[in-house]
Amino acid sequence: MMSGEEEAPTPQQEPEQVTKTDEPPPAAAAAEEEEKAKPASGSGSPASAEEEKPITYRALVLTGYGGCDKIKLQVKSMKKASLKAGEVLVRVKACGLNFAELLGKQGLYELLPSPPVTLGMEGSGVIEAVAEDVTDRKVGDRVIAMNRHGMWQELAVVPANRTFPIPDGMSFEEAAALPINYMTAYMMLFEMANLRPGKSVLIHMAAGGVGIAATQLCQTVQDVTIFGTASASKHETISQGGVTHPIDYRTKDYVTEVRKISPKGVDIVLDPLGGADTQKGFGLLKPLGMLIVFGAANCVTGQKKNLLAMAKTWYNQLTLNTLKLMQTNKAISGFHLGYIRDEELFERTLVKLLELYQQGKIKPHIDSRYHFEEVSLKKYSCRNCLACQHLNAQVTLNLFFFIAVELSLLKGTHHFCSSISSIWVSTESDFLLLSLCTTKVKKNSNSRRKVK
């Protein structure tokens, strides 16, 4: 890549997956060389020529829906002077992998454009250029950057209002690991659930990115009891992190375990699972309690789309009416950070989180790091295939170029899918889901139906 004093990588250093884009044909290349050889005159000053000179950079591109083999490392180019109003150019040093990217890889995330597309919603780096109308950011600023996609690359153009100064003492990796997970946890706990002293919270996937963030944020409020589900191997870690009562969901019924300690239930349930777990969460709420659904991780059981898991999750989803809510005095909320359009809320939340970081009250956990090349070569997938293991942990792409996994503590799937009845799955997902919508599959094993 070419920018400032940095040199573009030599061809022999590029991985096999790298494919150069936008290269001119030989004739055009020769003409271009001829044009360069001509002396500059008039407006063609060396400075303007330098501005129009294309910059090359590497990007991890999702080339199609499926497994890790669909993510390719490619070389792209852009014009440095192509910034629009309100934009900045960021040299990315670290970027994040979230559960939304895993859904997007399988074609299950509606906000992600169709392949080919560069993934990544969060990152950190140094500003290399700003649009003429941008006055509150300057070249050289260390910033956290957010966008709907496109952060898994060395250079990213992002809106200036989605960049935030990195505090002194915060690493690029920590800066990249903070935004999505901590903003999600903060908005759910404080904007929605109004967490107050003396309350109790059930956090599913407590060893994951949002789970760690929610646990740390709960500790900023006095006398909050935290129940956390995780496999037994993570209990020491989440206990040290602040979980009051760790529960092994693999060997025990978490509903029973919560009731043993708190017979009345809990005040807040954070549910990233969906399906039957949403029903259990609603049942665990105390009167005036709130269930917040912010995911459907039960749909994801491997690298590729699992239609049976999707069908099972859909079939077991919670259904009730407003009268039921009135009679139980309970509340249900849904949360999706991707659909938050309030820029003031975004800024206020992230500024507050950075204050908490500086006060030492929250700190992202970085477990491991991977070079960009390792991501494209899938070296990380065998040990930490977060898709295969319900990647509920946040991952950061550490762009010197690493992909750093924030808490990739998961060693197996959170829940395995069992058949809801005898279902013959069509290869067309739309047909399967349509069939399930029009055919009632009874839970009674004596009256099973086959959906063809």
Side-chain angles (χ1 to χ4, degrees), residues 119-163:
L119 299 174
M121 298 185 294
E122 61 185 351
S124 61
V126 179
I127 292 180
E128 287 206 348
V130 299
E132 292 183 359
D133 64 330
V134 176
T135 58
D136 56 348
R137 297 287 182 268
K138 65 182 185 299
V139 174
D141 284 351
R142 298 171 71 246
V143 294
I144 293 171
M146 301 178 67
N147 214 345
R148 291 202 174 279
H149 60 87
M151 295 305 300
W152 289 14
Q153 54 191 20
E154 294 175 312
L155 287 173
V157 176
V158 298
N161 62 357
R162 286 296 179 94
T163 63

Side-chain angles (χ1 to χ4, degrees), residues 78-150:
M78 67 179 296
K79 291 183 178 180
K80 190 170 184 178
S82 62
L83 292 179
K84 298 177 183 177
E87 292 181 337
V88 297
L89 177 65
V90 178
R91 171 72 60 175
V92 181
K93 300 297 184 181
C95 53
L97 166 61
N98 294 276
F99 196 79
E101 274 91 36
L102 298 181
L103 294 175
K105 188 165 62 68
Q106 298 184 11
L108 300 176
Y109 191 68
E110 67 279 7
L111 294 179
L112 183 70
S114 300
V117 60
T118 302
L119 299 174
M121 298 185 294
E122 61 185 351
S124 61
V126 179
I127 292 180
E128 287 206 348
V130 299
E132 292 183 359
D133 64 330
V134 176
T135 58
D136 56 348
R137 297 287 182 268
K138 65 182 185 299
V139 174
D141 284 351
R142 298 171 71 246
V143 294
I144 293 171
M146 301 178 67
N147 214 345
R148 291 202 174 279
H149 60 87

Side-chain angles (χ1 to χ4, degrees), residues 274-438:
D277 290 289
T278 303
Q279 297 191 44
K280 293 179 181 179
F282 185 77
L284 273 174
L285 287 179
K286 294 179 180 179
L288 305 183
M290 176 175 285
L291 166 67
I292 303 178
V293 181
F294 67 103
N298 284 333
C299 287
V300 180
T301 59
Q303 288 195 44
K304 298 182 179 180
K305 187 184 298 184
N306 185 328
L307 301 181
L308 189 57
M310 293 170 61
K312 180 175 182 254
T313 302
W314 173 86
Y315 179 78
N316 289 314
Q317 67 183 338
L318 176 65
T319 56
L320 46 77
N321 55 43
T322 53
L323 181 60
K324 179 72 171 179
L325 290 176
M326 291 171 56
Q327 293 170 344
T328 56
N329 287 300
K330 297 178 181 181
I332 300 179
S333 293
F335 182 83
H336 194 310
L337 187 64
Y339 286 100
I340 298 292
R341 302 286 189 263
D342 188 339
E343 296 297 334
E344 184 181 343
L345 175 61
F346 251 80
E347 181 177 0
R348 184 174 72 243
T349 301
L350 197 47
V351 168
K352 177 63 177 178
L353 289 170
L354 292 175
E355 289 177 0
L356 291 173
Y357 174 86
Q358 290 178 297
Q359 295 167 7
K361 295 181 179 180
I362 63 172
K363 184 177 178 64
H365 181 96
I366 306 297
D367 176 70
S368 54
R369 295 166 175 80
Y370 297 90
H371 284 279
F372 239 25
E373 291 85 351
E374 291 182 286
V375 178
S376 64
L377 292 172
K378 304 185 295 298
K379 290 181 180 178
Y380 73 97
S381 62
C382 295
R383 187 171 76 87
N384 291 317
C385 183
L386 300 179
C388 291
Q389 309 178 46
H390 259 338
L391 177 60
N392 58 347
Q394 149 115 34
V395 172
T396 63
L397 300 182
N398 179 351
L399 286 184
F400 289 106
F401 286 100
F402 301 105
I403 178 167
V405 181
E406 184 199 7
L407 257 205
S408 57
L409 297 174
L410 309 174
K411 302 299 181 184
T413 56
H414 189 83
H415 287 286
F416 287 97
C417 177
S418 59
S419 177
I420 57 177
S421 67
S422 181
I423 297 181
W424 298 101
V425 181
S426 163
T427 55
E428 296 295 326
S429 60
D430 290 341
F431 175 77
L432 170 66
L433 295 177
L434 178 61
S435 298
L436 287 174
C437 288
T438 57

